[in-house]
Amino acid sequence: MCRHLGYLGRARTLESLIFDGSHSLERQSYAPRMTQGNLLNADGFGVGWYHRGEAVRFRRAQPIWTDRSFREVARAVEAACAVAALRSATTRFPVDESCAQPFRAGTRLFSHNGKVEDFDAAEGKLRELAGDLAEVPDARAPVDSALVFALAARHWREGAPLGDGLAETVRTVTALAPGRYNLLAADGAALAATTWGDSLFTRAAPDGLWISSEPLDDDPAWRRVPDHSLVTADPASGVRVTPL
């Protein structure tokens, strides 16, 4: 179910973040090692990063390996904080650019690796809890992840820190519907992620912090995050993992 990657550290090109490594994020689009129930992540991709304090994005509804123009652009763009995602569309939801992640709420970027089981039964309550979607246009995308994102955005608007917003979202949505809820978010200064039903790894180095669905290479510094966990990462405190 999809793949995603968060990075925070020394500025580096988007090409190095997405295409470098023996098991790069780009390679995971056609040869993932740890996904459940799918062989390809070819239903779109996106990357978000920060430019002069603003969260900006590039999203497409095609497989990342087919977009040669993006790779040229990625060579020329540097980022000190980024979220990138590959999509494997859940049955019944369209392959559309609006469904490609990361989603955006102000300066926060969000990705959901997973699915809401029995979405029809939970949709009404999720919409009720999400509240007014006028401030978060991405929450209107025709995909289950959009309402999970809307819940996180609501918690952030109400003052929750980045990681607490994700943790509260997981607690809320799992009480309504089973599913896989690996969430990832960034705000330009920190990263946060949850594990709930799918793989997640972290890597801490002097020049950067990574959170990724799968290790990007064979570096032994990659650490598996236990299921049902919250990960927070920033330069001052490094990577911290707490149970959900």
Side-chain angles (χ1 to χ4, degrees):
M1 295 299 300
C2 310
R3 302 282 82 181
H4 56 204
L5 163 71
Y7 171 77
L8 180 68
R10 174 181 60 81
R12 59 184 68 227
T13 65
L14 297 182
E15 181 184 46
S16 70
L17 289 174
I18 296 170
F19 294 92
D20 283 1
S22 57
H23 196 63
S24 67
L25 190 68
E26 186 258 355
R27 183 176 179 83
Q28 292 173 40
S29 65
Y30 59 85
R33 293 186 290 186
M34 299 180 183
T35 54
Q36 302 181 47
N38 65 297
L39 298 176
L40 295 173
N41 296 291
D43 297 318
F45 71 95
V47 57
W49 67 98
Y50 294 84
H51 177 67
R52 297 178 181 173
E54 180 184 358
V56 296
R57 295 174 302 169
F58 185 103
R59 298 188 296 167
R60 288 289 183 266
Q62 66 195 71
I64 191 172
W65 72 78
T66 68
D67 195 332
R68 303 306 301 171
S69 294
F70 169 68
R71 182 149 192 176
E72 290 188 20
V73 170
R75 247 179 243 138
V77 176
E78 291 192 341
C81 182
V83 171
L86 309 172
R87 185 175 183 227
S88 175
T90 302
T91 303
R92 71 165 279 190
F93 296 115
V95 177
D96 184 87
E97 186 174 302
S98 68
C99 299
Q101 300 179 53
F103 294 144
R104 177 175 58 196
T107 59
R108 295 180 178 90
L109 297 166
F110 171 96
S111 174
H112 173 206
N113 167 23
K115 64 183 294 187
V116 180
E117 301 282 0
D118 198 7
F119 180 67
D120 288 341
E123 182 179 7
K125 187 62 176 178
L126 286 172
R127 290 192 181 280
E128 177 186 334
L129 292 171
D132 184 7
L133 303 184
E135 297 183 34
V136 281
D138 285 348
R140 301 172 181 169
V143 64
D144 56 349
S145 297
L147 290 181
V148 178
F149 162 65
L151 286 175
R154 179 177 180 177
H155 292 310
W156 293 327
R157 286 198 309 273
E158 293 173 350
L162 190 70
D164 290 353
L166 293 189
E168 189 57 35
T169 297
V170 170
R171 294 186 188 105
T172 299
V173 73
T174 53
L176 298 173
R180 297 175 187 161
Y181 299 107
N182 277 38
L183 311 182
L184 172 65
D187 62 8
L191 301 174
T194 61
T195 54
W196 197 282
D198 214 327
S199 61
L200 193 71
F201 292 78
T202 64
R203 179 178 179 268
D207 60 347
L209 305 170
W210 285 260
I211 299 176
S212 181
S213 297
E214 304 181 15
L216 305 178
D217 52 35
D218 295 324
D219 190 326
W222 288 102
R223 297 287 182 266
R224 180 184 284 272
V225 179
D227 200 17
H228 294 194
S229 294
L230 170 68
V231 182
T232 55
D234 62 63
S237 302
V239 176
R240 299 174 303 284
V241 179
T242 56
L244 278 173

